PDB file of all heavy atoms in Angstrom:
ATOM      1  N   GLY A 460     101.939  42.993 133.535  1.00  0.00           N
ATOM      2  CA  GLY A 460     101.871  42.193 134.698  1.00  0.00           C
ATOM      3  C   GLY A 460     102.723  40.918 134.496  1.00  0.00           C
ATOM      4  O   GLY A 460     102.869  40.472 133.320  1.00  0.00           O
ATOM      5  N   VAL A 461     103.236  40.549 135.543  1.00  0.00           N
ATOM      6  CA  VAL A 461     104.238  39.410 135.559  1.00  0.00           C
ATOM      7  C   VAL A 461     103.587  38.109 135.157  1.00  0.00           C
ATOM      8  O   VAL A 461     104.094  37.227 134.663  1.00  0.00           O
ATOM      9  CB  VAL A 461     104.922  39.274 136.913  1.00  0.00           C
ATOM     10  CG1 VAL A 461     104.144  38.750 137.896  1.00  0.00           C
ATOM     11  CG2 VAL A 461     106.243  38.433 136.723  1.00  0.00           C
ATOM     12  N   GLN A 462     102.226  38.067 135.432  1.00  0.00           N
ATOM     13  CA  GLN A 462     101.489  36.815 135.024  1.00  0.00           C
ATOM     14  C   GLN A 462     101.422  36.507 133.511  1.00  0.00           C
ATOM     15  O   GLN A 462     101.775  35.419 133.050  1.00  0.00           O
ATOM     16  CB  GLN A 462     100.056  36.856 135.731  1.00  0.00           C
ATOM     17  CG  GLN A 462      99.035  35.876 135.081  1.00  0.00           C
ATOM     18  CD  GLN A 462      98.817  34.789 136.166  1.00  0.00           C
ATOM     19  OE1 GLN A 462      99.597  34.660 137.171  1.00  0.00           O
ATOM     20  NE2 GLN A 462      97.814  34.075 135.859  1.00  0.00           N
ATOM     21  N   ASN A 463     101.118  37.700 132.846  1.00  0.00           N
ATOM     22  CA  ASN A 463     101.043  37.497 131.318  1.00  0.00           C
ATOM     23  C   ASN A 463     102.538  37.383 130.775  1.00  0.00           C
ATOM     24  O   ASN A 463     102.628  36.842 129.741  1.00  0.00           O
ATOM     25  CB  ASN A 463     100.347  38.612 130.717  1.00  0.00           C
ATOM     26  CG  ASN A 463     100.011  38.425 129.156  1.00  0.00           C
ATOM     27  OD1 ASN A 463     100.827  38.682 128.425  1.00  0.00           O
ATOM     28  ND2 ASN A 463      98.918  37.696 128.960  1.00  0.00           N
ATOM     29  N   PHE A 464     103.432  37.961 131.344  1.00  0.00           N
ATOM     30  CA  PHE A 464     104.809  37.906 130.944  1.00  0.00           C
ATOM     31  C   PHE A 464     105.368  36.403 131.074  1.00  0.00           C
ATOM     32  O   PHE A 464     105.832  35.854 130.158  1.00  0.00           O
ATOM     33  CB  PHE A 464     105.515  38.770 131.739  1.00  0.00           C
ATOM     34  CG  PHE A 464     107.182  38.800 131.560  1.00  0.00           C
ATOM     35  CD1 PHE A 464     107.753  38.786 130.340  1.00  0.00           C
ATOM     36  CD2 PHE A 464     107.982  38.779 132.622  1.00  0.00           C
ATOM     37  CE1 PHE A 464     109.055  38.801 130.117  1.00  0.00           C
ATOM     38  CE2 PHE A 464     109.470  38.689 132.431  1.00  0.00           C
ATOM     39  CZ  PHE A 464     109.865  38.754 131.172  1.00  0.00           C
ATOM     40  N   GLU A 465     105.237  35.938 132.328  1.00  0.00           N
ATOM     41  CA  GLU A 465     105.885  34.599 132.648  1.00  0.00           C
ATOM     42  C   GLU A 465     105.080  33.505 132.085  1.00  0.00           C
ATOM     43  O   GLU A 465     105.530  32.526 131.672  1.00  0.00           O
ATOM     44  CB  GLU A 465     106.028  34.539 134.136  1.00  0.00           C
ATOM     45  CG  GLU A 465     107.182  35.421 134.676  1.00  0.00           C
ATOM     46  CD  GLU A 465     108.586  34.874 134.293  1.00  0.00           C
ATOM     47  OE1 GLU A 465     108.713  33.749 133.841  1.00  0.00           O
ATOM     48  OE2 GLU A 465     109.593  35.444 134.639  1.00  0.00           O
ATOM     49  N   ARG A 466     103.724  33.586 132.195  1.00  0.00           N
ATOM     50  CA  ARG A 466     102.844  32.437 131.861  1.00  0.00           C
ATOM     51  C   ARG A 466     102.454  32.539 130.341  1.00  0.00           C
ATOM     52  O   ARG A 466     101.351  32.634 130.028  1.00  0.00           O
ATOM     53  CB  ARG A 466     101.582  32.381 132.669  1.00  0.00           C
ATOM     54  CG  ARG A 466     101.791  32.043 134.088  1.00  0.00           C
ATOM     55  CD  ARG A 466     100.521  31.905 134.885  1.00  0.00           C
ATOM     56  NE  ARG A 466     100.763  31.618 136.278  1.00  0.00           N
ATOM     57  CZ  ARG A 466     100.789  30.315 136.721  1.00  0.00           C
ATOM     58  NH1 ARG A 466     100.741  29.385 135.988  1.00  0.00           N
ATOM     59  NH2 ARG A 466     101.077  30.228 137.965  1.00  0.00           N
ATOM     60  N   ASN A 467     103.554  32.422 129.519  1.00  0.00           N
ATOM     61  CA  ASN A 467     103.296  32.361 128.100  1.00  0.00           C
ATOM     62  C   ASN A 467     104.530  31.657 127.432  1.00  0.00           C
ATOM     63  O   ASN A 467     105.563  31.571 128.040  1.00  0.00           O
ATOM     64  CB  ASN A 467     103.096  33.721 127.546  1.00  0.00           C
ATOM     65  CG  ASN A 467     101.652  34.059 127.422  1.00  0.00           C
ATOM     66  OD1 ASN A 467     100.873  33.329 126.950  1.00  0.00           O
ATOM     67  ND2 ASN A 467     101.282  35.234 127.828  1.00  0.00           N
ATOM     68  N   ALA A 468     104.171  31.137 126.362  1.00  0.00           N
ATOM     69  CA  ALA A 468     105.368  30.479 125.489  1.00  0.00           C
ATOM     70  C   ALA A 468     105.699  31.385 124.367  1.00  0.00           C
ATOM     71  O   ALA A 468     104.912  32.107 123.871  1.00  0.00           O
ATOM     72  CB  ALA A 468     104.808  29.135 125.037  1.00  0.00           C
ATOM     73  N   PHE A 469     106.968  31.378 123.929  1.00  0.00           N
ATOM     74  CA  PHE A 469     107.460  32.108 122.899  1.00  0.00           C
ATOM     75  C   PHE A 469     108.607  31.443 122.220  1.00  0.00           C
ATOM     76  O   PHE A 469     109.043  30.376 122.735  1.00  0.00           O
ATOM     77  CB  PHE A 469     107.904  33.460 123.349  1.00  0.00           C
ATOM     78  CG  PHE A 469     109.302  33.625 124.026  1.00  0.00           C
ATOM     79  CD1 PHE A 469     110.405  34.014 123.445  1.00  0.00           C
ATOM     80  CD2 PHE A 469     109.342  33.159 125.361  1.00  0.00           C
ATOM     81  CE1 PHE A 469     111.605  34.026 124.080  1.00  0.00           C
ATOM     82  CE2 PHE A 469     110.616  33.092 126.026  1.00  0.00           C
ATOM     83  CZ  PHE A 469     111.809  33.571 125.396  1.00  0.00           C
ATOM     84  N   ALA A 470     109.013  31.844 120.990  1.00  0.00           N
ATOM     85  CA  ALA A 470     110.041  31.147 120.238  1.00  0.00           C
ATOM     86  C   ALA A 470     110.836  32.319 119.488  1.00  0.00           C
ATOM     87  O   ALA A 470     110.302  33.252 119.156  1.00  0.00           O
ATOM     88  CB  ALA A 470     109.423  30.113 119.228  1.00  0.00           C
ATOM     89  N   MET A 471     112.060  31.861 119.141  1.00  0.00           N
ATOM     90  CA  MET A 471     112.925  32.679 118.445  1.00  0.00           C
ATOM     91  C   MET A 471     113.731  31.881 117.422  1.00  0.00           C
ATOM     92  O   MET A 471     114.049  30.766 117.687  1.00  0.00           O
ATOM     93  CB  MET A 471     113.977  33.390 119.405  1.00  0.00           C
ATOM     94  CG  MET A 471     113.424  34.334 120.515  1.00  0.00           C
ATOM     95  SD  MET A 471     114.591  34.780 121.712  1.00  0.00           S
ATOM     96  CE  MET A 471     114.800  33.283 122.630  1.00  0.00           C
ATOM     97  N   GLY A 472     113.924  32.385 116.233  1.00  0.00           N
ATOM     98  CA  GLY A 472     114.704  31.685 115.313  1.00  0.00           C
ATOM     99  C   GLY A 472     114.280  32.074 113.891  1.00  0.00           C
ATOM    100  O   GLY A 472     113.687  33.134 113.525  1.00  0.00           O
ATOM    101  N   LEU A 473     114.839  31.204 112.888  1.00  0.00           N
ATOM    102  CA  LEU A 473     114.731  31.652 111.424  1.00  0.00           C
ATOM    103  C   LEU A 473     113.419  31.120 110.874  1.00  0.00           C
ATOM    104  O   LEU A 473     113.062  31.484 109.721  1.00  0.00           O
ATOM    105  CB  LEU A 473     115.914  31.146 110.731  1.00  0.00           C
ATOM    106  CG  LEU A 473     117.209  31.736 110.820  1.00  0.00           C
ATOM    107  CD1 LEU A 473     118.432  30.918 110.535  1.00  0.00           C
ATOM    108  CD2 LEU A 473     117.209  33.159 110.131  1.00  0.00           C
ATOM    109  N   ASP A 474     112.570  30.308 111.601  1.00  0.00           N
ATOM    110  CA  ASP A 474     111.379  29.764 111.050  1.00  0.00           C
ATOM    111  C   ASP A 474     110.264  30.958 111.169  1.00  0.00           C
ATOM    112  O   ASP A 474     110.177  31.498 112.204  1.00  0.00           O
ATOM    113  CB  ASP A 474     111.000  28.496 111.677  1.00  0.00           C
ATOM    114  CG  ASP A 474     111.936  27.468 111.574  1.00  0.00           C
ATOM    115  OD1 ASP A 474     112.428  27.126 110.473  1.00  0.00           O
ATOM    116  OD2 ASP A 474     112.590  27.051 112.550  1.00  0.00           O
ATOM    117  N   THR A 475     109.444  30.985 110.150  1.00  0.00           N
ATOM    118  CA  THR A 475     108.567  32.078 110.083  1.00  0.00           C
ATOM    119  C   THR A 475     107.112  31.509 110.584  1.00  0.00           C
ATOM    120  O   THR A 475     106.578  30.551 110.101  1.00  0.00           O
ATOM    121  CB  THR A 475     108.216  32.713 108.746  1.00  0.00           C
ATOM    122  OG1 THR A 475     108.092  31.656 107.832  1.00  0.00           O
ATOM    123  CG2 THR A 475     109.480  33.454 108.418  1.00  0.00           C
ATOM    124  N   PRO A 476     106.422  32.248 111.450  1.00  0.00           N
ATOM    125  CA  PRO A 476     105.150  31.815 111.902  1.00  0.00           C
ATOM    126  C   PRO A 476     104.083  32.067 110.834  1.00  0.00           C
ATOM    127  O   PRO A 476     104.324  32.871 109.984  1.00  0.00           O
ATOM    128  CB  PRO A 476     104.810  32.597 113.165  1.00  0.00           C
ATOM    129  CG  PRO A 476     105.632  33.842 112.913  1.00  0.00           C
ATOM    130  CD  PRO A 476     106.835  33.558 112.154  1.00  0.00           C
ATOM    131  N   ARG A 477     102.994  31.327 110.938  1.00  0.00           N
ATOM    132  CA  ARG A 477     101.839  31.592 110.106  1.00  0.00           C
ATOM    133  C   ARG A 477     100.876  32.589 110.851  1.00  0.00           C
ATOM    134  O   ARG A 477     100.898  32.497 112.095  1.00  0.00           O
ATOM    135  CB  ARG A 477     100.971  30.343 109.798  1.00  0.00           C
ATOM    136  CG  ARG A 477     101.552  29.489 108.707  1.00  0.00           C
ATOM    137  CD  ARG A 477     100.494  28.590 108.249  1.00  0.00           C
ATOM    138  NE  ARG A 477     100.803  27.801 107.039  1.00  0.00           N
ATOM    139  CZ  ARG A 477     100.316  28.056 105.935  1.00  0.00           C
ATOM    140  NH1 ARG A 477      99.428  29.070 105.747  1.00  0.00           N
ATOM    141  NH2 ARG A 477     100.614  27.317 104.932  1.00  0.00           N
ATOM    142  N   ARG A 478     100.111  33.333 110.209  1.00  0.00           N
ATOM    143  CA  ARG A 478      99.191  34.272 110.883  1.00  0.00           C
ATOM    144  C   ARG A 478      97.815  34.206 110.280  1.00  0.00           C
ATOM    145  O   ARG A 478      97.639  33.934 109.108  1.00  0.00           O
ATOM    146  CB  ARG A 478      99.686  35.696 110.796  1.00  0.00           C
ATOM    147  CG  ARG A 478     101.117  35.912 111.412  1.00  0.00           C
ATOM    148  CD  ARG A 478     101.427  37.287 111.755  1.00  0.00           C
ATOM    149  NE  ARG A 478     102.596  37.326 112.626  1.00  0.00           N
ATOM    150  CZ  ARG A 478     103.799  37.652 112.147  1.00  0.00           C
ATOM    151  NH1 ARG A 478     104.034  37.757 110.852  1.00  0.00           N
ATOM    152  NH2 ARG A 478     104.884  37.684 113.034  1.00  0.00           N
ATOM    153  N   ALA A 479      96.781  34.550 111.067  1.00  0.00           N
ATOM    154  CA  ALA A 479      95.372  34.579 110.648  1.00  0.00           C
ATOM    155  C   ALA A 479      94.696  35.536 111.666  1.00  0.00           C
ATOM    156  O   ALA A 479      95.088  35.756 112.779  1.00  0.00           O
ATOM    157  CB  ALA A 479      94.737  33.272 110.698  1.00  0.00           C
ATOM    158  N   HIS A 480      93.538  36.140 111.207  1.00  0.00           N
ATOM    159  CA  HIS A 480      92.708  36.930 112.042  1.00  0.00           C
ATOM    160  C   HIS A 480      91.388  36.319 112.051  1.00  0.00           C
ATOM    161  O   HIS A 480      90.675  36.131 111.001  1.00  0.00           O
ATOM    162  CB  HIS A 480      92.690  38.354 111.635  1.00  0.00           C
ATOM    163  CG  HIS A 480      91.801  39.207 112.564  1.00  0.00           C
ATOM    164  ND1 HIS A 480      92.473  39.721 113.787  1.00  0.00           N
ATOM    165  CD2 HIS A 480      90.607  39.560 112.563  1.00  0.00           C
ATOM    166  CE1 HIS A 480      91.423  40.445 114.417  1.00  0.00           C
ATOM    167  NE2 HIS A 480      90.304  40.243 113.582  1.00  0.00           N
ATOM    168  N   THR A 481      90.920  35.685 113.060  1.00  0.00           N
ATOM    169  CA  THR A 481      89.752  34.971 113.277  1.00  0.00           C
ATOM    170  C   THR A 481      89.119  35.106 114.568  1.00  0.00           C
ATOM    171  O   THR A 481      89.778  35.000 115.524  1.00  0.00           O
ATOM    172  CB  THR A 481      89.846  33.526 112.644  1.00  0.00           C
ATOM    173  OG1 THR A 481      88.700  32.918 112.815  1.00  0.00           O
ATOM    174  CG2 THR A 481      90.949  32.866 113.429  1.00  0.00           C
ATOM    175  N   GLY A 482      87.701  35.023 114.723  1.00  0.00           N
ATOM    176  CA  GLY A 482      87.150  35.046 116.047  1.00  0.00           C
ATOM    177  C   GLY A 482      87.482  36.251 116.886  1.00  0.00           C
ATOM    178  O   GLY A 482      87.511  36.194 118.113  1.00  0.00           O
ATOM    179  N   GLY A 483      87.873  37.403 116.262  1.00  0.00           N
ATOM    180  CA  GLY A 483      88.331  38.513 117.060  1.00  0.00           C
ATOM    181  C   GLY A 483      89.648  38.477 117.539  1.00  0.00           C
ATOM    182  O   GLY A 483      90.111  39.205 118.344  1.00  0.00           O
ATOM    183  N   LEU A 484      90.407  37.411 117.039  1.00  0.00           N
ATOM    184  CA  LEU A 484      91.783  37.306 117.529  1.00  0.00           C
ATOM    185  C   LEU A 484      92.826  37.383 116.493  1.00  0.00           C
ATOM    186  O   LEU A 484      92.576  36.972 115.369  1.00  0.00           O
ATOM    187  CB  LEU A 484      91.884  35.753 118.096  1.00  0.00           C
ATOM    188  CG  LEU A 484      91.287  35.288 119.313  1.00  0.00           C
ATOM    189  CD1 LEU A 484      91.342  33.938 119.443  1.00  0.00           C
ATOM    190  CD2 LEU A 484      91.835  36.122 120.492  1.00  0.00           C
ATOM    191  N   ASP A 485      93.957  37.829 116.813  1.00  0.00           N
ATOM    192  CA  ASP A 485      95.067  37.791 115.840  1.00  0.00           C
ATOM    193  C   ASP A 485      95.836  36.555 116.326  1.00  0.00           C
ATOM    194  O   ASP A 485      96.325  36.413 117.409  1.00  0.00           O
ATOM    195  CB  ASP A 485      96.118  39.007 116.186  1.00  0.00           C
ATOM    196  CG  ASP A 485      95.520  40.275 115.610  1.00  0.00           C
ATOM    197  OD1 ASP A 485      94.940  40.174 114.445  1.00  0.00           O
ATOM    198  OD2 ASP A 485      95.645  41.434 116.176  1.00  0.00           O
ATOM    199  N   LEU A 486      95.804  35.519 115.437  1.00  0.00           N
ATOM    200  CA  LEU A 486      96.395  34.253 115.627  1.00  0.00           C
ATOM    201  C   LEU A 486      97.814  34.120 114.967  1.00  0.00           C
ATOM    202  O   LEU A 486      98.011  34.592 113.900  1.00  0.00           O
ATOM    203  CB  LEU A 486      95.565  33.075 115.111  1.00  0.00           C
ATOM    204  CG  LEU A 486      94.239  32.819 115.783  1.00  0.00           C
ATOM    205  CD1 LEU A 486      93.475  32.003 114.920  1.00  0.00           C
ATOM    206  CD2 LEU A 486      94.612  32.079 116.992  1.00  0.00           C
ATOM    207  N   GLU A 487      98.635  33.455 115.593  1.00  0.00           N
ATOM    208  CA  GLU A 487      99.992  33.296 115.183  1.00  0.00           C
ATOM    209  C   GLU A 487     100.420  31.903 115.485  1.00  0.00           C
ATOM    210  O   GLU A 487     100.193  31.516 116.626  1.00  0.00           O
ATOM    211  CB  GLU A 487     100.942  34.343 115.655  1.00  0.00           C
ATOM    212  CG  GLU A 487     102.280  34.344 115.120  1.00  0.00           C
ATOM    213  CD  GLU A 487     103.069  35.465 115.948  1.00  0.00           C
ATOM    214  OE1 GLU A 487     103.000  35.483 117.153  1.00  0.00           O
ATOM    215  OE2 GLU A 487     103.731  36.389 115.188  1.00  0.00           O
ATOM    216  N   TRP A 488     100.948  31.053 114.691  1.00  0.00           N
ATOM    217  CA  TRP A 488     101.428  29.699 115.068  1.00  0.00           C
ATOM    218  C   TRP A 488     102.543  29.249 114.239  1.00  0.00           C
ATOM    219  O   TRP A 488     102.806  29.704 113.181  1.00  0.00           O
ATOM    220  CB  TRP A 488     100.294  28.676 115.059  1.00  0.00           C
ATOM    221  CG  TRP A 488      99.876  28.463 113.643  1.00  0.00           C
ATOM    222  CD1 TRP A 488     100.195  27.385 112.901  1.00  0.00           C
ATOM    223  CD2 TRP A 488      98.623  29.041 113.056  1.00  0.00           C
ATOM    224  NE1 TRP A 488      99.391  27.309 111.768  1.00  0.00           N
ATOM    225  CE2 TRP A 488      98.516  28.312 111.702  1.00  0.00           C
ATOM    226  CE3 TRP A 488      97.926  30.244 113.253  1.00  0.00           C
ATOM    227  CZ2 TRP A 488      97.604  28.750 110.839  1.00  0.00           C
ATOM    228  CZ3 TRP A 488      96.967  30.552 112.226  1.00  0.00           C
ATOM    229  CH2 TRP A 488      96.785  29.831 111.007  1.00  0.00           C
ATOM    230  N   LEU A 489     103.328  28.350 114.933  1.00  0.00           N
ATOM    231  CA  LEU A 489     104.567  27.843 114.381  1.00  0.00           C
ATOM    232  C   LEU A 489     104.484  26.286 114.607  1.00  0.00           C
ATOM    233  O   LEU A 489     104.170  25.804 115.478  1.00  0.00           O
ATOM    234  CB  LEU A 489     105.751  28.456 115.151  1.00  0.00           C
ATOM    235  CG  LEU A 489     107.120  28.488 114.615  1.00  0.00           C
ATOM    236  CD1 LEU A 489     107.160  29.092 113.255  1.00  0.00           C
ATOM    237  CD2 LEU A 489     108.055  29.130 115.570  1.00  0.00           C
TER     238      LEU A 489
END
Side-chain angles (χ1 to χ4, degrees):
V461 70
Q462 167 103 348
N463 190 269
F464 173 49
E465 289 280 0
R466 287 183 184 273
N467 265 313
F469 74 105
M471 299 170 284
L473 285 162
D474 302 304
T475 51
R477 279 199 173 254
R478 296 200 170 95
H480 184 82
T481 174
L484 288 171
D485 287 321
L486 286 166
E487 186 182 48
W488 66 94
L489 201 52

